Amino acid sequence: MILNRYERMVAKRYLLPGRGEAFIFLVASISLVAVALGVAALIVVMSVMNGFRAELFDKIVGLNGHAVIQGYAGQGLRDWRDLVREAQRTPGVTSAIPLVEQPLAATVEGRVEPVLVRGMRLPDMRDAIGRLVKQGSLAAVTPGSNRVAIGSGLAQALGLTVGDSLSVVNLSGQATPFGTAPRIVNYEVGAIFEIGIFDFDKAYVVMPLGDAQQLLLLGDAVGMIELRTSNPDRVGQILAPLAPKVAGHGVLVDWRQMNASLFQALAVERVTMFVVLSIIILVAVFNILSSLIMLVRAKTRDIAILRTMGASRGALIRIFMTVGVTIGVLGIGAGAVLATIFLYFRQNVVDVVQAITGEDLWDPSIRVLTTLPSRVDPVEVTAIVVMTLVFAFLATLYPALKAASTDPVQVLRYE
């Protein structure tokens, strides 16, 4: 929209408060603030939702892989070495990790907690949780050492620290003439790690693969083979050639099947929040509409004079559309700045609100993640900006056309 010099001057004059126009300026200011709050709310919520999904994906898939090969009916994989070689030869598969994973129970001085025992080869263990260790060292967790690494939540629940002991109970022990005798093995805590997902940190007990096989009486079998691919979004196409080779040995399940309900719920919630918060921006744009209508009514005499001086209808349309769009652009800019500040200090904001209200707003046992995540998507921010601009543009059409249709003869006749 190209304005000439006098059109820019008039538009600037209408954007600033004049004598007796304080109320119109107040309404326009409220419109600008409303647009800013709407844009900021939409950017913040969408960024937090994106961050929540990305953090869940990185942590869940990062620990459990992009797909797994499991034995039928919970049976172990005895020919797992051949399957690992077949997987590693599949184009797009970056790693194939044999492991044992079984829900059991851990006890310390009468306190019992459900745990998820995971047995891994030492190099795979270091790759998975080496950078997550908070206390102790994985160097102490070696085959035959009877040492394990546990999650920080489990350590807190059982009151454990590095060097303490815990007992892991396997109810499916050896059969005796008097029934099945539970298998209880004592382990020393060699390291404590923190994944960042409450349920994982409170459950995982990680040990060398051989120790886990001995605990679960699996012999040389493993429970599953964890697969990682070069592109998680194309995991189905990448693993398609491997599926026929796995048939007869086990089942191939990818991350979308393992976590389908969780990520589908997040996708639905994300779309719902976008629609709901878009309504806030729409309401803010109606404020722009109302302020422009009042401005046109207040400037009826000025419009008539401009028309008699030679101003065209197109010039008046451009002037009032410029006023409305400028309010929208300023609101978008202010909203973007506000959203940036909020996202940068998001965890501080949560802590301050918790301190004021006395409520735990981010309980990891409910929110899954230990901190409030955020990930800004430039495409979404662009979409929000364009959507707000379109709404602001549409809101200016009626007032601008109304101003352009003013009949100077009828107006000036009664002046």
Side-chain angles (χ1 to χ4, degrees), residues 101-391:
E101 192 168 272
Q102 183 69 33
L104 298 176
T107 177
V108 176
E109 297 179 352
R111 288 178 291 180
V112 180
E113 287 288 338
V115 298
L116 193 61
V117 172
R118 169 173 280 210
M120 307 177 70
R121 296 178 299 187
L122 292 185
D124 300 329
M125 186 189 304
R126 296 190 187 100
D127 290 341
I129 62 173
R131 65 186 185 282
L132 306 176
V133 173
K134 300 299 181 182
Q135 298 180 36
S137 172
L138 287 181
V141 183
T142 56
S145 65
N146 264 26
R147 294 192 184 94
V148 296
I150 65 174
S152 57
L154 180 61
Q156 183 177 3
L158 292 176
L160 295 173
T161 187
V162 174
D164 293 342
S165 297
L166 77 159
S167 299
V168 178
V169 182
N170 179 15
L171 297 179
S172 302
Q174 293 179 331
T176 69
F178 303 99
T180 301
R183 181 175 176 79
I184 304 175
V185 181
N186 294 323
Y187 294 99
E188 180 183 333
V189 178
I192 297 175
F193 60 87
E194 183 174 323
I195 299 171
I197 296 181
F198 179 82
D199 292 341
F200 288 178
D201 288 332
K202 194 177 180 182
Y204 266 112
V205 175
V206 180
M207 62 180 65
L209 180 60
D211 292 356
Q213 290 172 327
Q214 184 178 1
L215 171 65
L216 299 171
L217 304 176
L218 291 176
D220 189 45
V222 300
M224 65 182 72
I225 299 173
E226 175 189 289
L227 305 176
R228 298 177 187 273
T229 63
S230 56
N231 187 348
D233 294 326
R234 297 183 58 251
V235 64
Q237 297 94 312
I238 292 174
L239 297 180
L242 181 63
K245 302 173 184 177
V246 172
H249 302 278
V251 292
L252 183 60
V253 184
D254 63 42
W255 68 269
R256 294 172 299 185
Q257 296 167 308
M258 291 187 288
N259 305 283
S261 58
L262 173 61
F263 287 105
Q264 285 177 0
L266 287 175
V268 171
E269 185 177 0
R270 186 165 166 268
V271 173
T272 303
M273 294 302 294
F274 185 88
V275 173
V276 171
L277 292 173
S278 296
I279 296 175
I280 297 178
I281 295 179
L282 189 60
V283 171
V285 168
F286 276 116
N287 287 335
I288 297 178
L289 174 63
S290 62
S291 65
L292 286 179
I293 290 175
M294 287 190 293
L295 181 62
V296 170
R297 290 181 62 88
K299 298 296 185 180
T300 300
R301 184 171 179 274
D302 293 0
I303 293 170
I305 293 174
L306 287 172
R307 293 283 286 122
T308 59
M309 295 176 64
S312 64
R313 295 180 184 272
L316 292 175
I317 291 176
R318 289 192 294 271
I319 289 171
F320 283 94
M321 289 183 69
T322 299
V323 173
V325 171
T326 301
I327 295 173
V329 169
L330 292 176
I332 292 170
V337 172
L338 185 62
T340 302
I341 295 173
F342 185 92
L343 290 174
Y344 185 81
F345 296 103
R346 61 188 183 280
Q347 195 59 46
N348 303 84
V349 172
V350 172
D351 295 339
V352 169
V353 174
Q354 287 182 157
I356 294 174
T357 61
E359 298 292 335
D360 189 358
L361 301 180
W362 196 260
D363 185 354
S365 63
I366 299 174
R367 309 295 182 185
V368 182
L369 299 178
T370 54
T371 58
L372 180 65
S374 171
R375 180 169 295 186
V376 179
D377 185 351
V379 176
E380 281 188 351
V381 173
T382 302
I384 292 169
V385 170
V386 171
M387 180 188 69
T388 308
L389 281 175
V390 170
F391 284 170

